[in-house]
CSV table of all heavy atoms in Angstrom, one decimal:
chain,number,residue,atom,x,y,z
L,1,ILE,N,57.8,183.8,-85.0
L,1,ILE,CA,58.7,184.0,-86.0
L,1,ILE,C,58.0,184.7,-87.2
L,1,ILE,O,56.9,184.2,-87.6
L,1,ILE,CB,59.4,182.7,-86.5
L,1,ILE,CG1,60.3,182.2,-85.4
L,1,ILE,CG2,60.2,182.9,-87.8
L,1,ILE,CD1,61.0,180.9,-85.7
L,2,THR,N,58.6,185.8,-87.7
L,2,THR,CA,58.0,186.5,-88.8
L,2,THR,C,58.0,185.7,-90.1
L,2,THR,O,56.9,185.4,-90.7
L,2,THR,CB,58.7,187.8,-89.1
L,2,THR,OG1,58.8,188.5,-87.8
L,2,THR,CG2,58.0,188.7,-90.1
L,3,ASP,N,59.1,185.3,-90.5
L,3,ASP,CA,59.2,184.5,-91.8
L,3,ASP,C,60.5,183.7,-91.8
L,3,ASP,O,61.5,184.1,-91.2
L,3,ASP,CB,59.0,185.3,-93.0
L,3,ASP,CG,60.0,186.4,-93.1
L,3,ASP,OD1,61.2,186.1,-93.5
L,3,ASP,OD2,59.7,187.6,-92.8
L,4,VAL,N,60.6,182.7,-92.7
L,4,VAL,CA,61.8,181.9,-92.9
L,4,VAL,C,61.9,181.7,-94.4
L,4,VAL,O,60.9,181.5,-95.1
L,4,VAL,CB,61.7,180.5,-92.2
L,4,VAL,CG1,62.9,179.7,-92.5
L,4,VAL,CG2,61.4,180.7,-90.8
L,5,SER,N,63.1,181.9,-94.9
L,5,SER,CA,63.4,181.6,-96.3
L,5,SER,C,64.5,180.5,-96.4
L,5,SER,O,65.5,180.6,-95.7
L,5,SER,CB,63.8,182.8,-97.1
L,5,SER,OG,65.1,183.3,-96.7
L,6,VAL,N,64.3,179.5,-97.3
L,6,VAL,CA,65.2,178.5,-97.6
L,6,VAL,C,65.5,178.5,-99.1
L,6,VAL,O,64.6,178.3,-99.9
L,6,VAL,CB,64.7,177.1,-97.1
L,6,VAL,CG1,65.7,176.0,-97.3
L,6,VAL,CG2,64.2,177.1,-95.7
L,7,THR,N,66.8,178.7,-99.4
L,7,THR,CA,67.1,178.8,-100.8
L,7,THR,C,68.2,177.7,-101.2
L,7,THR,O,69.2,177.7,-100.6
L,7,THR,CB,67.7,180.2,-101.1
L,7,THR,OG1,66.7,181.2,-100.8
L,7,THR,CG2,68.0,180.3,-102.6
L,8,PHE,N,67.9,176.9,-102.2
L,8,PHE,CA,68.8,175.9,-102.7
L,8,PHE,C,69.4,176.4,-104.0
L,8,PHE,O,68.7,177.0,-104.8
L,8,PHE,CB,68.1,174.6,-102.9
L,8,PHE,CG,67.6,173.9,-101.6
L,8,PHE,CD1,66.3,174.2,-101.2
L,8,PHE,CD2,68.4,173.1,-100.9
L,8,PHE,CE1,65.8,173.6,-100.0
L,8,PHE,CE2,67.9,172.5,-99.8
L,8,PHE,CZ,66.7,172.7,-99.3
L,9,ASN,N,70.7,176.1,-104.2
L,9,ASN,CA,71.3,176.4,-105.5
L,9,ASN,C,72.2,175.2,-105.9
L,9,ASN,O,72.9,174.6,-105.1
L,9,ASN,CB,72.2,177.6,-105.3
L,9,ASN,CG,72.7,178.2,-106.6
L,9,ASN,OD1,72.2,177.9,-107.7
L,9,ASN,ND2,73.8,179.0,-106.5
L,10,LYS,N,72.0,174.9,-107.2
L,10,LYS,CA,72.8,173.8,-107.8
L,10,LYS,C,74.1,174.3,-108.4
L,10,LYS,O,74.1,175.1,-109.3
L,10,LYS,CB,72.0,173.1,-108.8
L,10,LYS,CG,72.7,171.8,-109.4
L,10,LYS,CD,71.8,171.1,-110.4
L,10,LYS,CE,72.5,169.9,-110.9
L,10,LYS,NZ,71.6,169.1,-111.9
L,11,LEU,N,75.2,173.8,-107.9
L,11,LEU,CA,76.5,174.2,-108.4
L,11,LEU,C,77.0,173.0,-109.3
L,11,LEU,O,76.4,172.0,-109.3
L,11,LEU,CB,77.5,174.4,-107.2
L,11,LEU,CG,77.1,175.5,-106.2
L,11,LEU,CD1,78.1,175.6,-105.1
L,11,LEU,CD2,76.9,176.9,-107.0
L,12,PRO,N,78.2,173.2,-110.0
L,12,PRO,CA,78.6,172.2,-110.9
L,12,PRO,C,78.8,170.8,-110.2
L,12,PRO,O,78.5,169.8,-110.8
L,12,PRO,CB,80.0,172.7,-111.4
L,12,PRO,CG,79.8,174.2,-111.3
L,12,PRO,CD,78.9,174.5,-110.1
L,13,THR,N,79.3,170.8,-109.0
L,13,THR,CA,79.6,169.5,-108.3
L,13,THR,C,79.0,169.4,-106.9
L,13,THR,O,79.2,168.4,-106.2
L,13,THR,CB,81.2,169.3,-108.1
L,13,THR,OG1,81.7,170.4,-107.3
L,13,THR,CG2,81.8,169.3,-109.5
L,14,SER,N,78.1,170.3,-106.6
L,14,SER,CA,77.5,170.3,-105.2
L,14,SER,C,76.2,171.1,-105.2
L,14,SER,O,75.9,171.7,-106.2
L,14,SER,CB,78.5,170.8,-104.2
L,14,SER,OG,78.8,172.1,-104.4
L,15,TYR,N,75.6,171.1,-104.0
L,15,TYR,CA,74.4,171.9,-103.7
L,15,TYR,C,74.7,172.8,-102.5
L,15,TYR,O,75.4,172.4,-101.6
L,15,TYR,CB,73.2,171.0,-103.5
L,15,TYR,CG,72.8,170.2,-104.6
L,15,TYR,CD1,73.3,168.9,-104.8
L,15,TYR,CD2,71.8,170.7,-105.6
L,15,TYR,CE1,72.9,168.1,-105.9
L,15,TYR,CE2,71.5,169.9,-106.7
L,15,TYR,CZ,72.0,168.6,-106.8
L,15,TYR,OH,71.6,167.8,-107.9
L,16,THR,N,74.1,174.0,-102.5
L,16,THR,CA,74.1,174.8,-101.3
L,16,THR,C,72.7,175.1,-100.8
L,16,THR,O,71.7,175.1,-101.6
L,16,THR,CB,74.8,176.2,-101.6
L,16,THR,OG1,74.0,176.9,-102.6
L,16,THR,CG2,76.2,176.0,-102.1
L,17,CYS,N,72.6,175.3,-99.5
L,17,CYS,CA,71.3,175.6,-98.9
L,17,CYS,C,71.5,176.7,-97.9
L,17,CYS,O,72.4,176.7,-97.0
L,17,CYS,CB,70.8,174.4,-98.1
L,17,CYS,SG,69.3,174.7,-97.2
L,18,GLN,N,70.8,177.8,-98.2
L,18,GLN,CA,70.9,179.0,-97.3
L,18,GLN,C,69.5,179.1,-96.5
L,18,GLN,O,68.5,179.1,-97.2
L,18,GLN,CB,71.1,180.3,-98.1
L,18,GLN,CG,72.5,180.3,-98.7
L,18,GLN,CD,72.7,181.6,-99.5
L,18,GLN,OE1,71.8,182.3,-99.8
L,18,GLN,NE2,74.0,181.9,-99.8
L,19,ILE,N,69.6,179.2,-95.2
L,19,ILE,CA,68.4,179.4,-94.4
L,19,ILE,C,68.5,180.7,-93.7
L,19,ILE,O,69.5,181.1,-93.1
L,19,ILE,CB,68.3,178.3,-93.3
L,19,ILE,CG1,68.3,176.9,-94.0
L,19,ILE,CG2,67.1,178.5,-92.5
L,19,ILE,CD1,68.3,175.7,-93.0
L,20,HIS,N,67.5,181.5,-93.8
L,20,HIS,CA,67.4,182.8,-93.1
L,20,HIS,C,66.1,182.8,-92.3
L,20,HIS,O,65.0,182.8,-92.9
L,20,HIS,CB,67.4,184.0,-94.1
L,20,HIS,CG,67.4,185.3,-93.5
L,20,HIS,ND1,66.4,186.2,-93.6
L,20,HIS,CD2,68.3,185.9,-92.6
L,20,HIS,CE1,66.7,187.3,-92.9
L,20,HIS,NE2,67.9,187.1,-92.3
L,21,VAL,N,66.2,183.0,-91.0
L,21,VAL,CA,65.1,183.0,-90.1
L,21,VAL,C,65.0,184.4,-89.5
L,21,VAL,O,65.9,184.9,-88.9
L,21,VAL,CB,65.3,182.0,-88.9
L,21,VAL,CG1,64.0,182.1,-88.0
L,21,VAL,CG2,65.5,180.6,-89.4
L,22,HIS,N,63.9,185.1,-89.8
L,22,HIS,CA,63.6,186.4,-89.2
L,22,HIS,C,62.8,186.2,-88.0
L,22,HIS,O,61.6,186.1,-87.9
L,22,HIS,CB,62.8,187.2,-90.2
L,22,HIS,CG,62.7,188.7,-89.8
L,22,HIS,ND1,61.8,189.6,-90.5
L,22,HIS,CD2,63.3,189.4,-88.8
L,22,HIS,CE1,61.9,190.7,-89.9
L,22,HIS,NE2,62.8,190.7,-88.9
L,23,ALA,N,63.5,186.0,-86.9
L,23,ALA,CA,62.9,185.5,-85.6
L,23,ALA,C,62.1,186.6,-84.9
L,23,ALA,O,61.1,186.4,-84.3
L,23,ALA,CB,64.0,185.0,-84.6
L,24,SER,N,62.6,187.9,-85.1
L,24,SER,CA,61.9,189.0,-84.4
L,24,SER,C,62.4,190.3,-85.1
L,24,SER,O,63.2,190.2,-86.0
L,24,SER,CB,62.1,189.1,-82.9
L,24,SER,OG,63.5,189.3,-82.7
L,25,ARG,N,61.9,191.4,-84.7
L,25,ARG,CA,62.3,192.7,-85.3
L,25,ARG,C,63.8,192.9,-85.2
L,25,ARG,O,64.5,193.4,-86.1
L,25,ARG,CB,61.6,193.9,-84.6
L,25,ARG,CG,62.0,195.2,-85.2
L,25,ARG,CD,61.7,196.4,-84.3
L,25,ARG,NE,62.5,196.3,-83.1
L,25,ARG,CZ,63.8,196.7,-83.0
L,25,ARG,NH1,64.5,197.0,-84.1
L,25,ARG,NH2,64.5,196.6,-81.9
L,26,ASP,N,64.4,192.4,-84.1
L,26,ASP,CA,65.8,192.7,-83.8
L,26,ASP,C,66.7,191.5,-83.9
L,26,ASP,O,67.9,191.6,-83.6
L,26,ASP,CB,66.0,193.3,-82.4
L,26,ASP,CG,65.6,192.3,-81.3
L,26,ASP,OD1,64.8,191.4,-81.5
L,26,ASP,OD2,66.2,192.4,-80.2
L,27,LEU,N,66.2,190.3,-84.4
L,27,LEU,CA,67.1,189.2,-84.4
L,27,LEU,C,66.8,188.3,-85.6
L,27,LEU,O,65.7,187.9,-85.9
L,27,LEU,CB,66.8,188.3,-83.1
L,27,LEU,CG,67.7,187.0,-83.0
L,27,LEU,CD1,69.2,187.4,-83.0
L,27,LEU,CD2,67.3,186.2,-81.8
């Protein structure tokens, strides 16, 4: 796996988590 990014964001009443996995050149 090339790289992974995990981003958290605090909203007024909740939290979000976005995960992006760069598994290969094409996926």
Side-chain angles (χ1 to χ4, degrees):
I1 290 179
T2 307
D3 59 77
V4 179
S5 67
V6 183
T7 304
F8 293 92
N9 191 18
K10 184 178 181 180
L11 303 177
T13 59
S14 62
Y15 295 89
T16 63
C17 174
Q18 294 181 341
I19 302 175
H20 183 244
V21 181
H22 190 189
S24 63
R25 183 201 64 76
D26 68 328
L27 182 61

